[in-house]
Amino acid sequence: MNSPAGSAPQPPQSPGPVTDAAKTGRREKSAASGHPPAASTPGTAAVSELSKRVIANVEQAIVGKRKQLVLSLVAWLSGGHILLEDVPGVAKTMLARALARSVGCRFKRVQCTPDLLPTDVTGTSIFNQKTAEFEFRPGPVFTQILLADEINRATPRTQASLLEAMAESAVTVDGTTHALKPPFLVVATQNPVDHEGTFPLPEAQLDRFLMKFSLGYPSAEEELRMLTLLQHGHPVDKLKPVAKAEELVEAQAEVSKVYVDDRLREYMMQIISQTRSHDDLALGASPRATIALFRCSQAMAAIRGRAFVMPDDVKRITAPVISHRLIVRPESRLRKQTAEGILESILGQIAVPTIESP
């Protein structure tokens, strides 16, 4: 605009300081446009660095299980619990102990047997004759990492005693609710080949576990290295903490901030919907599975140092998060169909969204 005659031209006005509200609006606009605010943040960088330290430390005792270690951290950072189904002697207990030692968390183990009572897990109130009052004696569930070894050997009533702890990180005994110290993780194991004297976990209880996966046998080279590590004592006993429990709790909070594009949310929903309508499945994935897939994809991205989720993050955790929640029809099992194979075919049929990295 021209200035009036006889007056000096006015300099352009400064836009002034950017307010917090304007900054917030820009971030919201960036998110709405389909792009994350940043490729990485100090929070996700800290999660990635913490994960690298823990994995490197655990690998001093457990050889050749990098994939399973990453999945374990994904579950822990997502606030979920793990079911390990594998043959005896493949380091299931070592994995739980090594994770606890690496983060300086308390570790307890429950050997599940048919005569194990719910109070043997949660604790009970005992009458103190000196004070003439009942005192609560906490059970092994009052820890930070609980190994429920061979959980399918415990009775359904005892198995159910873990459900409240797993869902709410709390235990109610005699009408009083006791909170569990975070970060709380249940690692349950079961033997897939020995079914004598076992009580299979019902589908509703399997759905409570965030992930289910196997460790598998090591290769010949890895087993030779394992013998070298075991020559002078158990390597797990030599592990030192490389992080604090408080760091893991902070990392869990950072994981929930990881950006998930709307197209990826729709991609996850397509996967879940396909399981519910698939001809070979009698039971598809539950809404709890949808939430688990969402949370675990955030954790996988954070472990990789990203503040946003990519399609590859979703694909990597789909099988361990969803497979144990599905029921394959009997006639399909006769045709050698498995939940993992069906999920693989579903992923192959759905178009993968294109997400641009910033």
Side-chain angles (χ1 to χ4, degrees):
M1 176 183 290
N2 296 329
S3 59
S7 62
Q10 299 295 321
Q13 292 184 352
S14 171
V18 179
T19 63
D20 291 340
K23 292 179 181 178
T24 303
R26 289 180 184 178
R27 285 196 295 268
E28 290 176 351
K29 184 177 180 181
S30 173
S33 65
H35 296 283
S40 180
T41 63
T44 53
V47 174
S48 179
E49 195 273 335
L50 170 67
S51 303
K52 289 176 182 177
R53 272 186 285 146
V54 172
I55 290 173
N57 196 53
V58 174
E59 285 186 328
Q60 296 180 44
I62 299 177
V63 181
K65 303 300 177 187
R66 171 66 64 90
K67 177 182 176 182
Q68 289 84 353
L69 287 177
V70 171
L71 290 177
S72 300
L73 281 177
V74 166
W76 206 2
L77 290 171
S78 302
H81 307 281
I82 304 168
L83 179 62
L84 297 177
E85 184 176 76
D86 219 326
V87 296
V90 291
K92 298 188 293 294
T93 302
M94 283 179 61
L95 173 63
R97 289 180 58 199
L99 286 173
R101 280 183 169 269
S102 297
V103 189
C105 289
R106 291 180 297 169
F107 171 81
K108 290 185 181 179
R109 171 179 176 172
V110 175
Q111 186 64 48
C112 297
T113 55
D115 60 347
L116 189 73
L117 298 175
T119 52
D120 294 330
V121 177
T122 60
T124 187
S125 296
I126 298 176
F127 185 73
N128 187 329
Q129 293 183 347
K130 292 183 179 179
T131 61
E133 294 180 349
F134 282 94
E135 293 180 355
F136 176 66
R137 301 289 177 88
V141 74
F142 286 87
T143 185
Q144 290 171 301
I145 293 187
L146 175 69
L147 176 69
D149 202 13
E150 295 188 289
I151 189 173
N152 57 334
R153 289 198 175 278
T155 61
R157 185 182 176 190
T158 303
Q159 292 173 7
S161 67
L162 283 171
L163 292 183
E164 183 187 11
M166 291 170 61
E168 302 175 20
S169 295
V171 174
T172 301
V173 179
D174 294 334
T176 302
T177 300
H178 307 270
L180 300 175
K181 186 177 180 180
F184 178 66
L185 172 68
V186 172
V187 180
T189 73
Q190 62 181 14
N191 186 344
V193 295
D194 186 5
H195 300 291
E196 242 181 83
T198 61
F199 302 87
L201 295 173
E203 284 71 25
Q205 194 162 334
L206 283 172
D207 199 36
R208 301 279 182 167
F209 286 95
L210 187 74
M211 279 191 183
K212 176 187 174 185
F213 55 88
S214 302
L215 295 178
Y217 287 119
S219 65
E221 293 79 8
E222 292 167 350
E223 203 156 356
L224 284 172
R225 186 183 167 196
M226 180 186 70
L227 294 177
T228 303
L229 292 173
L230 288 166
Q231 184 174 355
H232 301 292
H234 208 297
V236 172
D237 297 331
K238 301 175 184 178
L239 293 182
K240 302 296 182 184
V242 294
K244 296 180 180 179
E246 292 76 14
E247 289 182 72
L248 195 84
V249 175
E250 292 172 2
Q252 289 175 334
E254 290 297 332
V255 163
S256 65
K257 302 175 185 176
V258 172
Y259 173 83
V260 184
D261 191 274
D262 287 343
R263 289 166 290 181
L264 275 178
R265 296 170 191 253
E266 293 174 3
Y267 179 60
M268 295 180 201
M269 279 309 308
Q270 285 182 303
I271 296 171
I272 298 296
S273 298
Q274 289 276 1
T275 66
R276 295 172 185 170
S277 59
H278 201 282
D279 293 337
D280 291 321
L281 294 175
L283 179 69
S286 67
R288 187 183 284 121
T290 309
I291 298 170
L293 191 63
F294 183 86
R295 294 297 183 201
C296 288
S297 65
Q298 289 179 303
M300 181 64 81
I303 286 175
R304 294 176 172 181
R306 281 187 273 101
F308 63 97
V309 176
M310 293 291 285
D312 191 50
D313 300 323
V314 180
K315 295 172 73 173
R316 281 179 178 268
I317 50 91
T318 295
V321 168
I322 297 181
S323 62
H324 63 288
R325 308 171 194 265
L326 307 178
I327 297 180
V328 182
R329 295 185 185 277
E331 58 271 24
S332 300
R333 288 202 302 268
L334 291 174
R335 299 198 309 270
K336 308 298 182 182
Q337 294 283 352
T338 63
E340 292 80 5
I342 293 171
L343 280 173
E344 187 176 350
S345 68
I346 289 174
L347 289 172
Q349 294 169 4
I350 300 175
V352 180
T354 302
I355 306 296
E356 297 177 3
S357 59

